[in-house]
Amino acid sequence: MTDANPPVRRLGDWNPEPLRDIADEHGTPTYVIDLDRVEANAARLRAAFAGADIAYAVKANTSRAVLERLAAAGVDAECAAAGEVKRALDAGFPAERVRYTAVNPPARDLNYVLGTDAAADLTVTVGAEDTLNRVAERGFDGRLCVRVNPGVGAGHHEKVSTGAEPKFGVPYERAAAVCEQARGVGNLVGIHAHVGSGVSGDDLAAHRAMVDRMGELAREVGDLSFVAVGGGFGVPYRETESPLDLDAVARSTRDALGDVNARLAIEPGRYFVADAGVLLTTVNTVKPTPETTVVGIDAGMTTLARPALYDAYHAVRSLEPDRPEKKPTRVELAGPVCETADVLGRDRRLPAPTRGDLLAVGNAGAYGYEMASNYNSRPRPAVVAVADGDARLATRRETLADVTRLES
Ligand code: LLP
């Protein structure tokens, strides 16, 4: 690994000056996404998984700027919904490089995806016999992939452990039979499973077990172009955590897959974008209490849902030039949403924050803006894309008028 493309970019590695300029120009809360880092992450995946099909699970960040950059970089797109397929095609992913992984697809989604001109070239992944039938009823006879429930799950939180959850995939015991049925409908090109999200450390054993089962199934089913083993590669959210050894993960994945006459396919989301993004937020209220100092910030669970939803940890740092010299204070970082869950971090040490201070939240490029909402009638933040040192507005901040614009 060369220093030019380190395995992780920590919050402390971001140069504060351009971030302060972005906040001055666009206000806060604002997501910043560094497209060069996204591409560097793609390069690292490609080097580790040489010869494999590499797709980006677009759900992690569907910003047009990100999709365009990754389409140009030659990776494939894995899409979970009609809207994601539309965005991937609009951003320039050729249809033959787009996989639609339908999870209980609403009729509207199927009608859209299978009705597009691109349908003949897409790969449609089905996770239930009933879904296969619904695809067949719509006259689809193109490339098909069968999603399998491998019976083994993992992930950074129980809410993102997928592999053993009955919702996802055809039960393993039925998988070979459903593959045969798929051959009667269209062109069966692959099998697919995904163990869960945020896989690291001990979870790698579960990932390996899943891949092992997929290898077994691939040998039974035979005649496949690819075996997709999902995404889920974790990133270090805590500053003290080590990054994944991607080469070791790739080696262990190939070992577990064993001898199959099909390409390995992976589809990480988070790994491409997490450390390429930060969230900028401003301190609006400081309140000393007997328990802690509550630092009120303008980014809440409507801006970044992960702490409220998964108790996820995101590093936070002050971007004020004189702060490093100040004494750290124990603080709770609280958002502006009237709900107890709206706390971005508890028991954090920050250099005595004062009103107006600019803070940066790390690893915000994945599932950040993507999961933002309008709860509390709060407008969604802006997104600024950075490339080659230049910053440009990628998504404008919503206004109060935007929040009500769909009402009749
Ligand atoms: N493939 C499939 C079929 C998936 O369901 C997912 C994620 C991925 C790939 C990409 O996983 P990744 O490499 O990004 O871990 N909102 C949660 C994560 C939910 C992921 C759902 N599926 C979070 O913020 O942690």
Side-chain angles (χ1 to χ4, degrees):
M1 206 59 62
T2 66
D3 287 337
N5 191 354
V8 61
R9 180 191 276 181
R10 308 273 185 189
L11 182 55
D13 297 334
W14 290 77
N15 183 356
E17 250 169 76
L19 295 177
R20 284 197 293 263
D21 291 346
I22 289 171
D24 282 347
E25 187 175 347
H26 300 282
T28 61
T30 290
Y31 279 98
V32 178
I33 184 84
D34 180 343
L35 303 176
D36 298 328
R37 179 65 190 166
V38 173
E39 193 165 338
N41 287 337
R44 212 152 355 83
L45 284 162
R46 201 176 263 143
F49 287 88
D53 290 356
I54 298 178
Y56 169 52
V58 308
K59 64 166 75 67
N61 188 325
T62 53
S63 176
R64 173 79 175 228
V66 170
L67 296 181
E68 282 179 356
R69 181 59 85 98
L70 287 175
V75 304
D76 300 348
E78 190 269 339
C79 304
E84 290 187 359
V85 171
K86 179 178 186 313
R87 282 181 139 165
L89 293 171
D90 288 352
F93 284 94
E96 56 275 11
R97 279 180 23 215
V98 173
R99 277 191 280 133
Y100 169 51
T101 314
V103 178
N104 300 330
R108 201 176 284 120
D109 278 44
L110 284 182
N111 293 345
Y112 175 80
V113 173
L114 303 180
T116 56
D117 292 342
D121 297 316
L122 297 167
T123 299
V124 176
T125 301
V126 295
E129 292 174 64
D130 200 28
T131 306
L132 178 63
N133 294 336
R134 293 170 71 210
V135 167
E137 281 161 18
R138 285 167 172 78
F140 181 80
D141 61 0
R143 281 204 277 266
L144 281 165
C145 171
V146 171
R147 180 169 187 172
V148 180
N149 185 305
V152 47
H156 69 79
H157 189 276
E158 62 179 26
K159 288 188 182 163
V160 298
S161 175
T162 309
E165 161 63 45
K167 168 173 170 176
F168 300 103
V170 173
Y172 190 82
E173 305 67 41
R174 290 283 306 146
V178 176
C179 285
E180 270 320 296
Q181 287 172 32
R183 285 192 165 125
V185 172
N187 176 16
L188 180 75
V189 290
I191 53 174
H192 169 275
H194 172 70
V195 78
S197 197
V199 169
S200 54
D202 297 345
D203 291 340
L204 287 171
H207 179 76
R208 218 187 130 95
M210 175 274 284
V211 178
D212 183 77
R213 298 204 88 186
M214 293 303 282
E216 212 173 289
L217 180 65
R219 285 184 286 278
E220 185 182 344
V221 172
D223 198 16
L224 294 167
S225 307
F226 66 83
V227 181
V229 298
F233 306 142
V235 299
Y237 282 93
R238 289 180 190 266
E239 303 278 88
T240 50
E241 242 174 285
S242 309
L244 276 182
D245 178 346
L246 213 52
D247 294 326
V249 174
R251 262 195 315 276
S252 140
T253 303
R254 288 192 190 285
D255 280 358
L257 189 61
D259 192 17
V260 294
N261 192 15
R263 287 188 311 279
L264 170 68
I266 57 165
E267 53 191 36
R270 187 186 319 267
Y271 198 89
F272 280 97
V273 285
D275 74 354
V278 293
L279 168 62
L280 303 177
T281 180
T282 304
V283 174
N284 50 37
T285 308
V286 178
K287 178 171 66 174
T289 73
E291 300 85 12
T292 184
T293 299
V294 179
V295 174
I297 54 176
D298 63 6
M301 61 190 283
T302 56
T303 325
L304 178 66
R306 303 189 72 257
L309 202 51
Y310 317 117
D311 289 325
Y313 182 94
H314 284 263
V316 177
R317 131 183 202 213
S318 174
L319 294 178
E320 296 301 322
D322 59 342
R323 286 307 183 275
E325 298 98 63
K326 289 207 173 166
K327 202 166 123 287
T329 315
R330 193 165 70 87
V331 300
E332 168 178 308
L333 292 157
V337 175
C338 192
E339 179 153 335
T340 313
D342 186 34
V343 172
L344 194 133
R346 289 180 207 277
D347 204 12
R348 300 299 184 91
R349 301 269 180 308
L350 277 181
T354 51
R355 198 198 303 164
D357 278 7
L358 182 64
L359 307 180
V361 181
N363 267 322
Y367 306 107
Y369 185 84
E370 215 49 42
M371 295 173 77
S373 80
N374 288 130
Y375 181 40
N376 272 201
S377 293
R378 203 156 276 293
R380 286 184 301 167
V383 180
V384 168
V386 178
D388 207 11
D390 286 335
R392 70 168 177 87
L393 186 65
T395 306
R396 73 160 170 82
R397 181 181 313 288
E398 281 181 338
T399 62
L400 289 181
D402 288 324
V403 172
T404 50
R405 76 184 184 282
L406 301 179
E407 290 188 333
S408 45

